[in-house]
Amino acid sequence: MKILNGKDLCQYFNFSTTLLYKPRKASMPFHQLPGGRAYYLPDEVEHWLKQAVYH
């Protein structure tokens, strides 16, 4: 299972870090590490993006 931080997720999907915040506010799935850092599972995010019509 591959996990990505916000910067890596942006590189993976080829979008800017600024653009990351719009889908996050729209309930894009992410997980929280005990220290407070968010991380993402690319398969979950890709599925969510397709369902949310972010192409």
Side-chain angles (χ1 to χ4, degrees):
M1 177 186 323
K2 186 175 195 173
I3 64 170
L4 303 173
N5 63 23
K7 181 180 177 182
D8 293 337
L9 184 74
C10 290
Q11 290 176 343
Y12 186 86
F13 286 108
N14 195 30
F15 53 73
S16 70
T17 53
T18 306
L19 187 59
L20 174 64
Y21 298 106
K22 186 175 180 181
R24 269 221 31 203
K25 288 183 180 181
S27 302
M28 180 175 71
F30 70 96
H31 304 273
Q32 203 80 28
L33 292 174
R37 293 194 67 170
Y39 70 91
Y40 307 86
L41 303 175
D43 293 339
E44 282 183 358
V45 172
E46 184 173 6
H47 177 73
W48 183 86
L49 289 170
K50 288 178 181 176
Q51 295 297 314
V53 193
Y54 282 94
H55 296 288

